[in-house]
């Protein structure tokens, strides 16, 4: 029997040779942009290149076996007659050719086919149409590309480790403790929990849950919430399998994650040298500061025909694994960083953990909370993207700035030689600036009045410009050299921007816009609560939590609690504890971010209601991201035994160059994506059940990227969880406070706070603490002394001893710089 007779049906080695599922996994050189036209892949080939390989359309990852015979077939046409090369070769040096055919293309599509016998084994082969060397420009179209022969491409089987799936970091001592067992069994199985010494410390029976639709697996769940002893190195066993080790008592891990997830932004910064002393192992030169070979971002022209000016748009964060900077995605990201901070004023939380000096960033010692310093890095960039006053579309905001063509991996930002271009203004980008600059205005006021004023002015201008230009949409087609971030419905961005402007200014016009928006009363708690494209929920959450005079604020608050109930029900119905159940069942790009944003709603419901089920839901919801899933994968670098570490990035490209680092600890991978748009995922994961549509490979940009808007969600949730200690019943408040204004005129006010001791014990030498959410400043207290640092007020009452049930009243005399003067949202005594 000859080798080739071993395979009865010739195997197809090409993925998507018919272009029925778009262009992936095909690639092309930057000078030959390609797209699917009438079902064929058509590429514009430039004039004036020299060599055939100066313009290529190709597919990598081709397996070839020595001695096997193969047939390459395709249909091709060219708008000018041209002879090109059709090669089957190694994808990397020395590019050894197994076949190099010379098809003569004509305007009429023709079929070509060639056979050859492979001389060597490889898993890194390539089919390459080398189409450079023409004096004139022309268009190539390809269809039905096929390479048949050899063994069927190997079926990728992920290493999923033990079939008992746990949160690989561990569980809050007093929190919920759930695990999942993948098993054929249909009846309950015994489980055992062992401590590090191997002693069984708890046991019970699993609950069969049937076939889980997100994984296709038959699964059982284990609930060991009753075990409440802190420890490290515990394991859970069932059905003859033992989980990876984990801890009980993980508050410190969430404290670390809060800092790591937020410190991710420093190494993503553009326009500043990254110092090894701050981010060990991540030092690099400042990117895109106008030093060759960079071509920006200090003096960037528009795309041809878009504008006649140039802007200095240095700074900000690189969006993701690419070097693009997008106002739309920057908006939701900076919103969540500022919201992480604002929550410290609105709920029981540890403001000190986000204070000056808390993160790994350079701006220590300036008395500004580090999370706000980091947010400012992006806000300053977004301000620079606003169209100058004297220009057409003044006040609108350019959608994005990025490279003219896609660059390869790895690439240090400072070494990026591509021209940078400003893309047209969009209503969505303009409203992203309006929303976040308005939000920033109230938060920065206590630290930097001039910056706050600048933000507020920019927000007002942007909002007015968006009202005047309500339908300038960023098109989906604008995705060359950077992401499109396209959006053709900006009613949600209008709602969000109006909400932030109203909360910061209290002005009727913005309130009217909020109330008139259909989003104000809609049930916007969809299967995915929000993301960069759907931002109405961000407005809703802030209207629910930031104090204001909104007439129906109670209804708004209740809507958040009701929405959270839905995510909780989804989580409870999922044997993997997933909060996300998309309509149609397919997981979207960045599904981990959607899981987390749903948890933001659940966490906010806890802050509003104090109902423990919501806090437990957030803790339980994190289990999925930290390893309780079908792949036994922690999606956060540095957290858990089997954590993602090869996320798609030009900077953290250790997988491609061992001299480069992996992504920093606390980097969230985008996660399972049913559409597997990138070549690696398309090839390895075809036909995947949603949870299996993920691979920790640097080239899998559609399942495994890092992104500023994903880490912002992680930061928010990690910060919430870190504030929850080890779970369990929240400590009962020591006092109740009723706060009201007794005089309010022309910016001056007198407020009265009556504090009642609701604890069963006498308070001695106690203090009252709260934070203002507006621009209030207390000058003087009556019946006590008041000390205000930024927005935080600490009152030492003259009545230093307060018996159970006893009350005391303190008057606060102060003023507001601008904006409304709402009562603080949260008080604490002790
Ligand atoms: O996160 C974005 C996702 O929702 C979109 O479906 C996808 C395709 O448009 O783009 C994602 O954003 C990418 C952006 O376009 C470019 N930078 C990397 C982003 C994350 O993959």
């Amino acid at each position: 029997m000859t080798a080739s007779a071993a395979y009865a049906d010739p195997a197809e080695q090409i993925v998507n040779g018919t272009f029925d599922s778009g262009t992936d996994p095909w690639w092309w050189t930057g000078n030959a942009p390609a797209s699917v036209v009438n079902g064929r892949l058509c590429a514009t080939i430039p004039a004036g290149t020299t060599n055939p390989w100066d313009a290529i359309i190709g597919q990598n990852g081709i397996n070839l076996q020595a001695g096997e015979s193969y047939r390459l077939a395709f249909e091709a046409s060219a708008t000018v007659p041209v002879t090109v090369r059709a090669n089957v070769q190694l994808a990397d040096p020395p590019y050894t050719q197994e076949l190099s055919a010379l098809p003569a293309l004509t305007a009429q599509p023709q079929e070509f086919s060639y056979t050859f016998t492979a001389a060597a084994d490889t898993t890194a082969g390539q089919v390459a149409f080398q189409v450079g060397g023409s004096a004139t420009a022309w268009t190539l179209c390809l269809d039905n590309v096929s390479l048949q022969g050899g063994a069927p491409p190997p079926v990728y089987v992920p290493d999923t480790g033990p079939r008992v799936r746990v949160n690989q970091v561990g569980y809050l001592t007093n929190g919920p403790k759930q695990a999942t067992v993948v098993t054929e069994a249909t009846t309950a199985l015994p489980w055992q929990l062992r401590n590090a010494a191997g002693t069984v410390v708890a046991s019970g029976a699993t609950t069969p849950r049937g076939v889980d639709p997100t994984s296709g697996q038959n699964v059982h769940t284990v609930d060991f919430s009753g075990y409440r002893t802190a420890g490290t190195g515990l394991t859970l066993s069932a059905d003859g399998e033992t989980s990876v080790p984990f801890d009980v008592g993980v508050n410190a891990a969430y404290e670390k994650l809060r800092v790591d997830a937020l410190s991710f932004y420093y190494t993503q910064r553009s326009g500043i040298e990254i110092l090894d002393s701050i981010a060990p192992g991540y030092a690099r030169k400042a990117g895109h500061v106008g030093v060759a070979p960079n071509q920006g971002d200090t003096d960037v022209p528009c795309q041809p025909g878009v504008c006649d000016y140039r802007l200095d748009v240095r700074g900000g964060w690189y969006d993701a694994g690419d070097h693009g900077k997008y106002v739309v995605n920057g908006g939701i990201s900076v919103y969540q960083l500022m919201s992480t901070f604002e929550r410290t004023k609105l709920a029981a939380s540890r403001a000190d953990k986000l204070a000056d000096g808390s993160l790994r960033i350079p701006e220590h010692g300036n008395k500004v909370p580090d999370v706000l310093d980091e947010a400012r890095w992006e806000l300053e960039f977004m301000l620079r993207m606003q169209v100058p006053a004297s220009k057409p579309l003044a006040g609108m905001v350019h959608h994005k700035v990025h490279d003219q063509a896609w660059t390869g991996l790895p690439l240090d930002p400072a070494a990026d030689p591509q021209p940078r271009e400003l893309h047209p203004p969009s209503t969505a980008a303009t409203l992203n600036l309006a929303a976040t600059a308005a939000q920033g205005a109230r938060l920065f006021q206590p630290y930097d009045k001039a910056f706050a004023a600048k933000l507020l002015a920019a927000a007002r201008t942007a909002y007015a410009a968006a009202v005047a230009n309500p339908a300038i949409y960023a098109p989906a087609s604008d995705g060359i050299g950077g992401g499109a971030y396209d959006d053709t419905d900006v009613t949600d961005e209008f709602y969000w921007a109006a909400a932030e402007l109203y909360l910061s200014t209290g002005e009727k016009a913005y309130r009217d816009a909020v109330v008139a928006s259909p989003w104000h009363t809609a049930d916007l708690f969809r299967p995915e609560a929000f993301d960069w494209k759907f931002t109405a929920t961000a407005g809703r959450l802030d209207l629910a939590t930031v104090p204001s005079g909104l007439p129906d604020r109670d209804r708004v608050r209740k809507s958040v609690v009701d929405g959270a109930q839905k995510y909780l029900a989804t989580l409870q119905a999922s044997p993997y504890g997933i909060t996300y159940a998309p309509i149609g069942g397919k997981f979207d790009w960045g599904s981990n971010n959607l899981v987390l944003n749903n948890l933001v709603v659940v966490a906010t419901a806890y802050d509003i209601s104090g109902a423990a089920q919501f806090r437990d839901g957030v803790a339980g919801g994190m289990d999925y991201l930290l390893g309780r899933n079908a792949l036994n994968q922690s999606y956060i670098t540095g957290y858990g035994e089997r954590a993602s570490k090869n996320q798609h990035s030009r900077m953290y490209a250790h997988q491609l160059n061992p001299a480069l680092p992996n992504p920093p600890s606390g980097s969230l991978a985008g996660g399972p994506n049913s559409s597997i748009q990138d070549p690696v995922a398309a090839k390895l994961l075809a036909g995947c059940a949603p949870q299996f549509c993920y691979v920790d490979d640097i080239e899998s940009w559609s399942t495994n990227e890092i992104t500023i808007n994903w880490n912002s969600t992680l930061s928010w949730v990690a910060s919430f969880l870190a504030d929850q200690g080890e779970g369990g019943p929240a400590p009962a408040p020591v006092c109740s406070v009723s706060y009201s204004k007794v005089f309010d005129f022309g910016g001056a006010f007198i407020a009265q706070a009556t504090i009642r001791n609701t604890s069963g014990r006498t308070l001695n030498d106690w203090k009252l603490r709260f934070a203002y959410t507006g621009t209030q400043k207390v000058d003087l207290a009556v019946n006590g002394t008041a000390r205000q640092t930024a927005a935080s007020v600490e009152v030492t009452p003259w009545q230093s001893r307060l018996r159970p049930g006893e009350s005391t009243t303190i008057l606060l005399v102060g003023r507001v710089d601008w904006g409304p003067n709402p009562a603080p949202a949260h008080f604490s005594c002790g």
Side-chain angles (χ1 to χ4, degrees):
M1 199 165 72
T2 64
S4 54
Y7 306 107
D9 295 324
E12 178 58 64
Q13 305 294 343
I14 293 285
V15 177
N16 188 27
T18 56
F19 309 103
D20 289 347
S21 52
T23 62
D24 289 320
W26 294 91
W27 57 267
W28 45 86
T29 47
N31 59 351
S35 59
V36 176
V37 180
N38 297 331
R40 305 193 299 160
L41 186 78
C42 296
T44 312
I45 314 302
T49 61
T50 313
N51 306 297
W53 54 85
D54 289 342
I56 308 175
I57 314 294
Q59 182 169 132
N60 288 0
I62 303 289
N63 291 307
L64 297 173
Q65 291 166 291
E68 285 295 318
S69 63
Y70 293 85
R71 177 173 176 270
L72 176 71
F74 55 90
E75 193 185 293
S77 66
T79 47
V80 298
V82 58
T83 296
V84 300
R85 286 198 198 176
N87 287 3
V88 180
Q89 59 174 48
L90 290 184
D92 303 302
Y95 303 112
T96 312
Q97 294 173 357
E98 296 282 8
L99 170 74
S100 186
L102 296 171
L105 310 187
T106 57
Q108 195 57 36
Q110 298 179 73
E111 284 177 20
F112 299 89
S113 88
Y114 308 91
T115 54
F116 66 97
T117 300
D121 286 332
T122 182
T123 54
Q126 176 187 75
V127 169
F129 294 95
Q130 297 186 346
V131 292
S134 167
T136 49
W138 58 284
T139 300
L140 164 78
C141 290
L142 288 168
D143 203 359
N144 298 326
V145 187
S146 159
L147 178 67
Q148 290 189 328
V155 176
Y156 169 72
V157 181
D159 166 19
T160 54
R163 286 185 285 106
V164 179
R165 306 291 157 73
V166 296
N167 180 326
Q168 296 169 10
V169 172
Y171 300 85
L172 299 180
T173 309
N174 303 310
K177 297 177 191 70
Q178 309 271 346
T180 304
V181 183
V182 180
T183 174
E184 296 296 311
T186 50
T187 54
L189 297 166
W191 59 261
Q192 300 83 32
L193 178 69
R194 287 187 174 78
N195 64 16
T199 309
V200 174
V201 292
S203 58
T206 63
T207 305
R209 300 286 294 267
V211 174
D212 161 51
T214 67
S215 64
Q217 298 164 322
N218 187 64
V219 292
H220 293 196
T221 49
V222 174
D223 187 340
F224 59 107
S225 306
Y227 183 75
R228 293 193 170 159
T229 309
T232 58
L234 289 99
T235 55
L236 183 70
S237 304
D239 200 23
E241 297 263 320
T242 297
S243 73
V244 299
F246 58 89
D247 297 346
V248 168
V250 290
N251 177 248
Y254 285 126
E255 286 286 11
K256 181 173 181 296
L257 183 58
R258 142 153 73 192
V259 173
D260 284 354
L262 284 166
S263 297
F264 166 86
Y265 292 87
Y266 172 58
T267 52
Q268 285 293 119
R269 285 190 194 181
S270 178
I272 188 174
E273 182 186 2
I274 305 302
L275 299 177
D276 194 71
S277 55
I278 297 174
Y282 293 88
R284 58 174 175 81
K285 285 189 244 165
H288 299 98
V289 285
V291 176
N294 276 172
Q295 300 196 41
D297 294 344
T298 48
D299 187 28
V300 184
C302 280
Q303 286 179 304
V306 168
C307 75
D308 64 357
Y309 51 84
R310 303 169 81 96
L311 291 182
D312 176 354
V313 292
R314 72 182 76 194
W317 303 313
Y318 295 119
D319 187 59
D322 62 320
H323 298 151
K325 302 192 299 192
Y326 313 90
V327 171
V328 160
N329 202 42
I332 195 75
S333 310
V334 77
Y335 157 77
Q336 285 196 305
L337 257 56
M338 290 193 285
S339 170
T340 304
F341 170 75
E342 190 159 38
R343 187 182 161 272
T344 66
K345 298 181 176 189
L346 307 175
S349 101
R350 296 288 305 270
D352 55 313
K353 298 288 183 179
L354 297 167
D356 186 23
S358 59
L359 305 180
R360 293 187 295 275
I361 63 167
E363 295 84 4
H364 286 184
N366 65 357
K367 299 201 171 74
V368 178
D370 278 0
V371 60
L372 288 187
D373 281 324
E374 192 56 68
R376 183 170 182 162
W377 191 262
E378 182 71 3
L379 285 170
E380 299 265 21
F381 155 71
M382 290 171 65
L383 290 169
R384 292 188 178 108
M385 293 288 279
Q386 195 163 26
V387 177
S390 55
K391 303 293 179 190
L393 294 176
M396 295 288 282
V397 177
H398 288 277
H399 195 67
K400 54 182 188 166
V401 55
H402 61 69
D403 292 333
Q404 209 173 64
W406 284 109
T407 56
L409 274 67
L411 183 63
D412 178 32
D416 172 13
Q418 276 286 323
R420 307 276 277 182
E421 287 176 334
L422 289 167
H423 291 243
S426 71
T427 309
T430 305
L431 290 167
N432 268 262
L433 178 69
T436 55
Q439 178 195 17
R442 63 176 183 266
L443 296 175
F444 278 95
Q445 163 76 17
Y447 304 99
D448 186 336
K449 287 186 171 44
F451 184 55
K454 184 177 176 183
L455 286 171
L456 188 58
R460 288 182 188 280
T461 306
Y463 189 80
V467 168
N469 302 281
I472 301 186
Y473 301 131
S477 56
D478 190 8
I480 295 170
Y485 284 116
D486 51 304
D487 192 354
T488 51
D489 181 352
V490 296
T491 56
D492 51 316
E493 281 81 7
F494 266 110
Y495 179 63
W496 176 34
E500 298 297 350
L501 276 157
Y502 169 61
L503 291 170
S504 288
T505 65
E507 287 170 17
K508 182 175 176 304
Y510 297 125
R511 189 189 69 198
D512 289 349
V514 164
V515 172
S517 167
W519 291 114
H520 191 50
T521 46
D523 179 4
L524 39 63
F525 297 102
R526 305 163 168 194
E528 43 290 292
F530 60 110
D531 63 3
W532 61 265
K533 196 175 201 152
F534 181 66
T535 58
T537 312
R540 180 76 67 84
L541 293 175
D542 281 8
L543 288 169
T545 53
V546 180
S548 74
L550 190 71
D552 57 350
R553 187 162 180 270
D554 288 345
R555 181 196 60 77
V556 167
R557 284 168 75 76
K558 181 169 180 299
S559 78
V560 174
V561 177
D562 292 346
Q565 288 284 7
K566 292 204 275 187
Y567 301 124
L568 218 49
T570 304
L571 181 150
Q572 282 154 3
S574 160
Y576 278 111
I578 314 175
T579 55
Y580 168 63
I583 293 164
K586 285 184 159 190
F587 279 23
D588 206 348
W589 194 314
S591 64
N592 285 342
N593 173 62
L594 303 171
V595 168
L596 277 165
N597 271 339
N598 292 353
L599 291 177
V600 169
V601 176
V602 178
T604 305
Y606 176 69
D607 286 342
I608 291 173
S609 70
Q613 55 167 343
F614 294 122
R615 188 201 43 214
D616 290 352
V618 182
M622 276 301 283
D623 297 344
Y624 167 76
L625 293 170
L626 289 169
R628 184 192 176 200
N629 54 51
L631 288 171
N632 207 347
Q633 178 84 33
S634 162
Y635 291 107
I636 303 172
T637 304
Y639 288 79
E641 291 281 310
R642 298 163 48 90
S644 300
K645 59 179 191 300
N646 293 315
Q647 289 101 321
H648 181 78
S649 161
R650 283 160 178 74
M651 298 190 277
Y652 318 129
H654 180 81
Q655 192 186 344
L656 298 174
N657 177 356
L660 295 171
N662 285 113
S665 182
S667 299
L668 177 72
N673 170 5
S674 297
S675 300
I676 48 172
Q677 289 94 333
D678 65 82
V680 170
K683 188 164 180 112
L684 299 183
L685 309 175
C688 51
Q691 280 205 57
F692 284 101
C693 301
Y694 171 82
V695 57
D696 185 21
D697 187 298
I698 192 162
E699 303 287 3
S700 182
W701 38 263
S702 72
T703 80
N704 197 35
E705 192 156 354
I706 37 116
T707 299
I708 55 172
N709 63 314
W710 302 340
N711 249 69
S712 62
T713 319
L714 178 66
S715 300
W716 199 105
V717 173
S719 190
F720 172 87
L721 276 172
D723 282 340
Q724 307 309 317
E726 290 294 346
V734 172
C735 63
S736 71
V737 178
S738 89
Y739 177 105
S740 59
K741 278 174 286 175
V742 291
F743 173 81
D744 189 0
F745 186 74
F749 72 91
I750 302 173
Q752 167 182 299
T754 300
I755 306 110
R756 199 172 96 84
N757 179 355
T758 54
S759 75
R761 61 187 172 82
T762 300
L763 299 178
N764 287 308
D765 295 326
W766 61 285
K767 292 183 196 311
L768 169 70
R769 294 188 184 83
F770 61 87
Y772 280 118
T773 56
T775 66
Q776 302 96 326
K777 178 90 178 78
V778 171
D779 293 318
L780 177 78
V782 179
N783 231 0
T785 53
R787 203 163 59 96
Q788 183 164 350
T789 311
S792 300
V793 181
E794 187 182 271
V795 181
T796 308
W798 287 344
Q799 188 168 344
S800 61
R801 187 179 156 93
L802 201 62
R803 294 195 180 76
E806 198 180 351
S807 299
T808 184
T809 295
I810 290 162
L811 292 182
L812 300 163
V813 181
R815 63 207 139 84
V816 276
D817 248 18
W818 51 264
N821 184 1
H826 182 80
F827 297 90
S828 68
C829 303

